[in-house]
Amino acid sequence: MPRISTETRSRNEEAIRAAMDRLLRGELPPGGRCDIKTLAAEAGVPRTGFYAKRNRDGSDRRGPYQHLAEEFERRLKAMQDAGAMPDPRDRQIARLKEDNAALRAECPPGMLRSPS
């Protein structure tokens, strides 16, 4: 028997999907990222539900919302592969890496120290 009712699980899944859509549109809460931790907090569900569990006999079972975590990660990766980044920090990191590569390309050979 499930620990939560079918109705509660359905409401939670709706909340997770709504939070997923908001995060993937770039509507991040202050201090939040576009990740599972923020997704769980925004949906008001424990993040442990997004991960597989281990039964007492040692066998694995899927978390109740693991399929939604996989969907979130799949959609996020597709966006990133297309060049869209919903998390402004990720955009900034990508831009800084590009700037760094461009600056390194402009430097004469021997001018750069190797990263330590």
Side-chain angles (χ1 to χ4, degrees), residues 28-46:
L28 304 177
R33 298 194 52 134
C34 196
D35 59 9
I36 296 293
K37 180 179 177 182
T38 305
L39 176 62
E42 284 293 291
V45 299

Side-chain angles (χ1 to χ4, degrees), residues 11-30:
R11 269 196 322 265
N12 287 348
E13 287 186 3
E14 287 176 22
I16 293 167
R17 286 188 190 282
M20 184 185 316
D21 290 339
R22 284 193 309 274
L23 293 178
L24 291 174
R25 281 194 308 264
E27 298 173 17
L28 304 177

Side-chain angles (χ1 to χ4, degrees), residues 101-112:
L103 289 171
R104 286 179 173 273
E106 291 176 9
C107 287
M111 288 287 295
L112 297 175

